Amino acid sequence: MDDRLDARRVRYFMQVVDSGSVRGAAELLGMDASAVSRAIGVLERDCGTRLLERHGRGVVPTDAGQLLASYLRRQHSQKQQLLAEFESIQKVERGHIDIVAGEGFVDWLMRHSLREFMAQHPGITVDLSVGSTDDIVRGIVDERAHIGMLFQPPRDERLRSHHSHPQPIQTLVLDNHPLARLDRPLKLDDLLPYSGATLHRSFGVRQHIEAAEISEGVRLNTLLTTSSFNAVGHFVVAGLGYALGTPFSLPGSLDTARVVALPMKNPLLSQGRVHVVSRHGRVLPPAAARLLRQIVADVGALAPSKRK
């Protein structure tokens, strides 16, 4: 508010306008009428114009007074609206949440946490972005997203993990694939005669696979390289070959009844974990904090690796 519009004096002014007289306003304010009159006089001097004029036994605002009264009413209305919006946010009735997740988690989010949350809070908007591990980390660190869900993020002190559980990488194939007949944990060497699908290097799953390749001294035969978990799932379901991944990441829209997940012998492929993260030190808005708690509870019930 402009320094000329002293809060106490404009309150007296508005009470006079509403009451229609200085005396009536003074009674409501519990003040002496002369004190109210002096305060109005100071306000008029500060504004450089008359704000009130006599009308019968009372007073009415001048043209300038009407402008000031209209301004003050708008300001009061905007203040009340702002406070109401603050209250709605605190009650998780309104707000906006930005989520960034690996594609393999989108189907699960829309079937569980997000579906339930959005049904319960129709006034809250959600932006769900899909990205690689690197994309998700950048989105969280740069505070472009409130919540991230991803496979094995890099060690970064700027990330806060609210939940994690083991998510071993397994060989996904159809049940009639030759690999499915091997009654033991698989070595990467077992995969060499067959074609496979894999994700780009910006994905945590691919980074784990490459570390395992180095440790075993092999290089897998990759027929399809993609940034899409959906494409990987279609590759397996179509019987084109194997994929190293997690059953959790297979799209729910695919018929995966015949897909089997075969365990791997290399311990590096068992060290991966699913994480739910936010920016370390960032205070999340109430709506985002509520959704985060729901995701953590839901994904915790899902651990270790079973899909619902």
Side-chain angles (χ1 to χ4, degrees), residues 48-149:
T49 185
R50 291 289 301 274
L51 299 173
L52 297 171
E53 60 185 2
R54 291 190 175 280
H55 182 74
R57 295 186 176 182
V59 293
V60 295
T62 62
D63 289 345
Q66 289 177 355
L67 287 174
L68 177 59
S70 295
Y71 165 79
L72 294 171
R73 289 192 181 102
R74 287 196 305 272
Q75 188 182 60
H76 176 73
S77 177
Q78 290 171 354
K79 178 181 178 181
Q80 294 303 112
Q81 181 179 351
L82 178 62
L83 294 175
E85 290 177 354
F86 283 161
E87 185 177 2
S88 293
I89 291 172
Q90 292 299 325
K91 291 180 178 178
V92 198
E93 294 174 353
R94 294 187 57 192
H96 178 78
I97 307 170
D98 289 297
I99 308 170
V100 59
E103 184 187 1
F105 301 109
V106 171
D107 181 77
W108 180 84
L109 283 167
M110 294 308 303
R111 290 174 182 267
H112 296 86
S113 301
L114 261 183
R115 181 182 69 178
E116 296 170 9
F117 183 87
M118 296 183 75
Q120 295 169 3
H121 306 285
I124 296 173
T125 58
V126 175
D127 186 306
L128 174 59
S129 297
V130 175
S132 67
T133 299
D134 294 348
D135 295 332
I136 296 167
V137 170
R138 281 195 298 270
I140 294 296
V141 168
D142 295 343
E143 297 192 9
R144 289 182 282 108
H146 299 105
I147 303 168
M149 191 170 183

Side-chain angles (χ1 to χ4, degrees), residues 278-295:
S278 69
R279 178 69 153 88
H280 182 74
R282 183 181 187 184
V283 178
L284 295 179
R290 177 75 63 85
L291 176 57
L292 175 62
R293 289 194 296 270
Q294 183 161 340
I295 292 173

Side-chain angles (χ1 to χ4, degrees), residues 10-29:
V10 297
R11 182 167 65 90
Y12 297 168
F13 167 76
M14 289 303 297
Q15 188 62 67
V16 171
V17 171
D18 293 339
S19 301
S21 71
V22 173
R23 187 174 298 277
E27 290 177 357
L28 291 172
L29 292 168

